[in-house]
């Protein structure tokens, strides 16, 4: 008897095709993630043949984001985070502002409304955490000073986008979109509540989480059960990320990062990282497959110049802005090039922001499609950006 199993078929099709095309990409001396994206395009709704469940794939990919950020947090301490804050905070905010202006300017040239330009520009301003971390891991740079600056920069971007997602519905009517239920709430009150929730989450993790999570895992280690320890690590990563989202309105990624960071102070942090690695890699692959599923190749034929202009802002405009900001901060040429390459792509928050803009009638359908197309192309081009950064940065370590 045939039974519909969309979850199983989505996982099987995603992983099998990702393995096949990832292997082919590696054989062609290309990054495996290009193969994962191609696998997603093939099982997506815009190509003939089998179509995977898109909503399930996106939810599965969120688990990959959670585990990936949890792993980064395990290698990060509060001391490391504070050490890069002086460049990460002003740098990320300035880069978001410049990239948003570039995107809004392009939208203005197309005759879009100011609200559409704002959403479009913001979507182009924020890089993908998953893509960045995969690139840093491949180069063994997560624990380097440049890697810490890049991760700190992305954390600031995530916080800025969390704030944006809360404030945008309140501003939709003013920006020319659909008035939401939240629009009646005072903007100042909304901002205050959002900042209060984020501050409350950070306080809970630093005051309670730092003590409870290591204590809990220490008790699990005493049982001598490796299986129970692995389960405790996964429960911590997923539980804190989900709780942060539901109780404090913080993104899954940010919640998982802080969970890993408080566990990093435990003597079992290295073991926790090793135990979560296999699942982390598998679900990270599903993230790239889910991104590929969103891509409609017809946009390349219908609006090639618009796609190129959007990609130019991401790959060139945003990267040059980041490079200039880092150099103005008196950091080395190598650091500036690493940060520039790290930001030469867009990802998960761009999709979320574009979807919200669409639902609020701020962003036109064409803008949403352009953002998805630019995300795919920029993720594919990102390894090249890192190779260029490695080549020129390697000759400028002391600059």
């Amino acid at each position: 008897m045939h039974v519909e199993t969309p979850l199983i078929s989505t996982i099987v099709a995603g992983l099998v095709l990702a393995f096949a095309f990832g292997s082919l990409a590696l054989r062609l001396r290309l990054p495996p993630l290009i193969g994962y994206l191609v696998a997603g395009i093939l099982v997506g709704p815009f190509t003939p043949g089998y179509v995977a469940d898109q909503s399930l794939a996106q939810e599965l990919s969120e688990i990959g984001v959670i585990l990936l950020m949890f792993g980064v947090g395990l290698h990060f301490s509060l001391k490391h985070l504070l050490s890069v804050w002086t460049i990460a905070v002003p740098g990320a905010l300035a880069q978001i502002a410049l990239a948003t202006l570039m995107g809004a300017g392009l939208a203005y040239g197309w005759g879009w409304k100011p609200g559409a330009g704002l959403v479009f520009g913001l979507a182009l301003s924020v890089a993908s955490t998953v893509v960045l971390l995969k690139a840093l891991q491949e180069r063994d740079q997560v624990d380097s000073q440049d890697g810490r600056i890049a991760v700190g920069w992305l954390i600031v971007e995530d916080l800025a986008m969390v704030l944006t997602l809360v404030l945008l519905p309140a501003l939709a009517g003013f920006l020319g979109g659909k008035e939401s239920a939240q629009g009646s709430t005072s903007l100042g009150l909304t901002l205050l509540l959002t900042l209060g929730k984020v501050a409350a989450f950070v306080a809970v993790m630093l005051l309670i989480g730092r003590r409870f999570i290591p204590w809990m895992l220490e008790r699990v280690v005493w049982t001598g059960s490796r299986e129970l320890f692995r389960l405790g690590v996964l429960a911590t990563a997923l539980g804190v990320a989900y709780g942060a989202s539901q109780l404090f309105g913080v993104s899954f990624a940010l919640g998982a990062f802080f969970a890993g960071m408080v566990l990093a102070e435990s003597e079992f942090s290295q073991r926790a990282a090793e135990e979560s690695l296999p699942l982390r890699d598998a679900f990270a692959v599903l993230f790239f497959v889910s991104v590929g599923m969103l891509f409609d190749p017809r946009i390349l034929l219908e609006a090639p110049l618009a796609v190129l202009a959007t990609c130019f802002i991401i790959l060139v405009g945003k990267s040059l802005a980041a490079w200039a900001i880092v150099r103005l901060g008196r950091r080395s040429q190598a650091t500036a090039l690493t940060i520039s390459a790290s930001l030469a792509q867009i990802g998960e928050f761009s999709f979320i922001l574009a979807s919200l803009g669409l639902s609020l009638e701020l962003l036109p359908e064409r803008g949403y499609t352009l953002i998805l197309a630019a995300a795919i192309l920029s993720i594919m081009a990102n390894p090249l950006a890192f190779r260029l950064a490695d080549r020129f940065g390697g000759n400028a370590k002391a600059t």
Side-chain angles (χ1 to χ4, degrees), residues 33 50 102 130 145-146 155 241 254 337 349 366 388:
L33 69 85
Y50 169 76
M102 286 186 276
V130 180
Q145 182 66 10
D146 290 353
I155 290 170
L254 199 63
L337 290 172
F349 262 116
R366 187 182 185 85
L388 291 173

Side-chain angles (χ1 to χ4, degrees), residues 205-268:
M205 292 304 297
L206 295 181
L207 297 176
I208 300 175
R210 286 176 75 182
R211 293 173 174 81
F212 175 75
I213 293 175
W215 175 85
M216 181 267 293
L217 286 181
E218 184 178 359
R219 296 302 182 277
V220 173
V221 169
W222 288 355
T223 67
S225 171
R226 181 177 180 182
E227 178 182 334
L228 196 59
F229 179 81
R230 184 183 296 119
L231 185 60
V233 171
L234 292 175
T236 299
L238 297 172
V240 172
Y242 185 77
S245 173
Q246 295 298 308
L247 299 176
F248 300 98
V250 175
S251 68
F252 287 140
L254 199 63
F257 173 79
F258 273 93
M261 195 174 70
V262 299
L263 183 55
E265 299 182 16
S266 165
E267 59 182 302
F268 308 111

Side-chain angles (χ1 to χ4, degrees), residues 82-104:
L82 292 175
S83 69
V84 300
W85 223 236
T86 54
I87 181 66
V89 172
L93 294 179
Q95 173 258 304
I96 288 173
L98 290 172
T100 300
L101 283 174
M102 286 186 276

Side-chain angles (χ1 to χ4, degrees), residues 362-375:
L362 284 170
L363 187 70
E365 286 275 1
R366 187 182 185 85
Y368 183 77
T369 307
L370 285 172
I371 289 169
L372 295 181

